[in-house]
Amino acid sequence: KRALVGPIEELGRLRLAEFRRLSNDPEQAVHKILAKLELLAADGYDKKVQGIRAWRGSPLMALYSAVTREALDRGVSVAEVLNEKKAETPEMLTVEECREIRKLNAEIRY
């Protein structure tokens, strides 16, 4: 039995599969995340901050961070890391998903 969760919990639990369920188009999925954050902002700035913190702690954000960190550490492109990981792990971010998540992160500073 699944319990109902609010938008903050939803953002904090977001995994790659759920991100893809939001939309097949990564840009649209990011728009839906931004819409959740705007809904939270309507309840107060502190709620929006909680939502952003939840997003930053999500499994999806951890995956994104690990990929970008590895690319930086190795001095290679994110695309190169993603292509290597795709061979090992079928459930891996695409280059487009990484690009859209990067844009999202740039947009949600507080």
Side-chain angles (χ1 to χ4, degrees):
K1 183 180 164 190
R2 294 185 59 148
L4 290 174
V5 296
I8 293 171
E9 294 85 2
E10 220 175 286
L11 289 167
R13 295 178 181 178
L14 197 65
R15 297 179 179 283
L16 182 57
E18 284 98 20
F19 180 76
R20 288 177 175 165
R21 263 187 236 121
L22 290 174
S23 175
N24 291 336
D25 175 10
E27 187 176 358
Q28 288 305 312
V30 162
H31 282 299
K32 289 181 179 184
I33 292 170
L34 285 169
K36 283 184 197 297
L37 290 170
E38 288 311 310
L39 270 175
L40 288 168
D43 287 341
Y45 183 72
D46 60 320
K47 291 286 185 196
K48 183 176 181 180
V49 170
Q50 286 176 12
I52 292 170
R53 286 191 178 138
W55 156 252
R56 289 183 178 159
S58 71
L60 178 59
M61 196 49 204
L63 177 63
Y64 169 82
S65 297
V67 167
T68 54
R69 192 175 316 109
E70 184 176 336
L72 282 171
D73 288 349
R74 292 176 42 203
V76 298
S77 70
V78 168
E80 197 172 319
V81 172
L82 290 173
N83 287 333
E84 290 170 9
K85 296 236 178 263
K86 192 96 174 139
E88 307 161 14
T89 317
E91 280 300 297
M92 182 48 60
L93 288 161
T94 65
V95 173
E96 188 183 358
E97 288 167 338
C98 274
R99 185 179 319 115
E100 291 304 322
I101 290 170
R102 179 175 35 86
K103 287 181 193 174
L104 169 65
N105 288 330
E107 207 167 311
I108 61 171
R109 294 199 176 102
Y110 55 81

